[in-house]
Amino acid sequence: MSYPKTSDDEKKHLTASAGEEGVLASIEDALWSRRDAMKLYRALFELVPDALVLADSSCRILGINGNAASMFGRTEEELLGTDCRELVSASCAREFDAALRSLGRDAVWNGTLEALGQGESAVPVEIAVHKVSIASDVLFQIVLHDISAHVTLEQDLQRSEAVLEGMNLALRHVIQSVHEERKEMKDELVQQVKEQVLPAIERIAEEDSSDIRQNYKAVIEDQLVEMADTPPDLFDNVLIHLTPRENEICRLIALGRKTREICELLQVSFETMQTHRKNIRKKLGLTGKGISLYVFLQQGQQTSPR
């Protein structure tokens, strides 16, 4: 059985058809590869844990990921075509613009700026800009990492340090005041001993009568008890204008000593003692008032701070 022969024209037509089908198949494969590449790029774009912005050489936004949309409170459609330099606060705009202009091809710039978050609120961010060369095009990959929590933590730490420093300063003042108060109390106690106890001890050493020495001993014991139980300035406000001898007489009266007993202790006459008492009452403002010196001194002792 013989078959009809194919003419040369038919052969050329068949060859041309096969060539066209091959080109179409190649174009279709290229398109699918591009679509797959774009899907892969988009997937990786969304996987970035920080806000990611892609801009062209004129700083026009070409795309953002979901984290960027959340940070800026705007959708990708709203941001497409806008200037990426408008994503930072006015106070940082000049620095950001200068960084973009001075960045070389395939170079990276890092800094800390304030981005404009939702409602134009300032969001502190660490920003990294990568200038990428793709064929004849130049793109900016901008990554913004929110450091609000870190800044807040630093501010809280600074406030805590300031509070601690204030507490330490107050504590140092308190300790210093305590030391000064102790020193003052010690000095006053030493002065009291010199003015009240030592003279009595000297009289004991000079006295021949054992009864008088015993009385002096009892006075010294009472005075030491008073110094231990009450502040050193117990009688200061009341007796500040009295002479040392008048002050001594007042202390003996406050201890409950009788006039004759005080005369023997101080080795003075009854008349001299009466003169001392009269002068004491006058200096204390008791002249003409129906209150005994003993009662007045006891009342002062009860109202003095303990």
Side-chain angles (χ1 to χ4, degrees):
M1 184 175 181
S2 61
Y3 294 92
K5 294 182 178 180
T6 304
S7 67
D8 291 339
D9 291 337
E10 290 175 337
K11 288 180 180 179
K12 290 179 180 179
H13 178 72
L14 291 172
T15 301
S17 298
E20 289 176 0
E21 289 179 0
V23 171
L24 290 173
S26 298
I27 292 174
E28 187 175 357
D29 289 343
L31 289 173
W32 278 108
S33 297
R34 183 178 178 183
R35 290 191 190 99
D36 291 341
M38 289 299 293
K39 287 181 180 178
L40 178 59
Y41 177 78
R42 192 66 191 182
L44 295 174
F45 199 70
E46 290 297 335
L47 285 175
V48 175
D50 296 313
L52 179 59
V53 177
L54 189 65
D56 61 18
S57 58
S58 300
C59 299
R60 298 296 172 182
I61 296 176
L62 301 175
I64 65 171
N65 66 353
N67 290 326
S70 298
M71 175 180 287
F72 300 117
R74 299 165 67 183
T75 65
E76 184 175 9
E77 289 74 18
E78 292 173 329
L79 288 174
L80 286 178
T82 61
D83 195 320
C84 67
R85 290 168 293 190
E86 297 176 358
L87 298 177
V88 301
S89 63
S91 61
C92 305
R94 182 176 296 181
E95 180 184 356
F96 188 40
D97 179 64
L100 294 176
R101 291 179 182 276
S102 63
L103 195 61
R105 285 176 176 265
D106 298 317
V108 178
W109 175 81
N110 294 282
T112 302
L113 304 175
E114 284 185 346
L116 292 178
Q118 298 187 31
E120 300 294 313
S121 62
V123 179
V125 295
E126 289 180 345
I127 186 169
V129 182
H130 186 194
K131 191 173 185 179
V132 184
S133 298
I134 302 177
S136 60
D137 293 330
V138 174
L139 300 176
F140 289 108
Q141 284 184 333
I142 306 170
V143 180
L144 303 100
H145 176 63
D146 188 346
I147 57 173
S148 299
H150 178 69
V151 171
T152 301
L153 183 62
E154 278 192 345
Q155 291 174 346
D156 291 342
L157 182 60
Q158 290 174 356
R159 282 193 290 267
S160 298
E161 289 177 348
V163 171
L164 287 175
E165 180 61 27
M167 292 175 63
N168 289 336
L169 182 61
L171 182 59
R172 286 195 291 269
H173 283 315
V174 170
I175 293 175
Q176 183 179 359
S177 298
V178 170
H179 285 320
E180 292 175 354
E181 185 177 351
R182 285 181 177 177
K183 185 178 183 302
E184 290 177 0
M185 292 177 64
K186 180 180 178 180
D187 293 342
E188 291 178 0
L189 183 61
V190 170
Q191 188 64 27
Q192 277 191 308
V193 170
K194 289 180 178 179
E195 293 179 355
Q196 302 167 26
V197 178
L198 292 182
I201 294 176
E202 291 176 358
R203 292 193 186 97
I204 291 176
E206 297 172 354
E207 187 57 51
D208 295 332
S209 172
S210 61
D211 292 337
I212 295 179
R213 286 200 300 269
Q214 288 298 321
N215 286 332
Y216 270 119
K217 177 177 176 295
V219 170
I220 293 174
E221 290 174 349
D222 291 340
Q223 288 176 331
L224 292 176
V225 170
E226 286 294 315
M227 279 188 271
D229 291 343
T230 60
D233 59 348
L234 174 63
F235 290 103
D236 286 355
N237 293 333
V238 179
L239 311 178
I240 191 171
H241 301 296
L242 304 183
T243 65
R245 173 49 63 92
E246 291 170 345
N247 206 318
E248 187 176 16
I249 292 172
C250 284
R251 290 186 179 277
L252 292 172
I253 292 174
L255 291 173
R257 302 294 178 177
K258 302 299 182 181
T259 301
R260 295 288 183 184
E261 188 176 5
I262 295 174
C263 291
E264 293 179 1
L265 286 172
L266 301 182
Q267 295 182 330
V268 295
S269 65
F270 182 80
E271 290 75 15
T272 301
M273 178 57 61
Q274 290 299 95
T275 300
H276 281 309
R277 291 176 67 95
K278 181 179 178 180
N279 292 335
I280 291 171
R281 291 182 62 85
K282 182 178 180 181
K283 291 180 180 180
L284 297 181
L286 300 178
T287 303
K289 296 183 179 180
I291 180 173
S292 69
L293 190 55
Y294 172 77
V295 172
F296 175 81
L297 295 173
Q298 287 297 312
Q299 289 177 348
Q301 184 177 14
Q302 293 171 3
T303 57
S304 294
R306 289 275 175 181

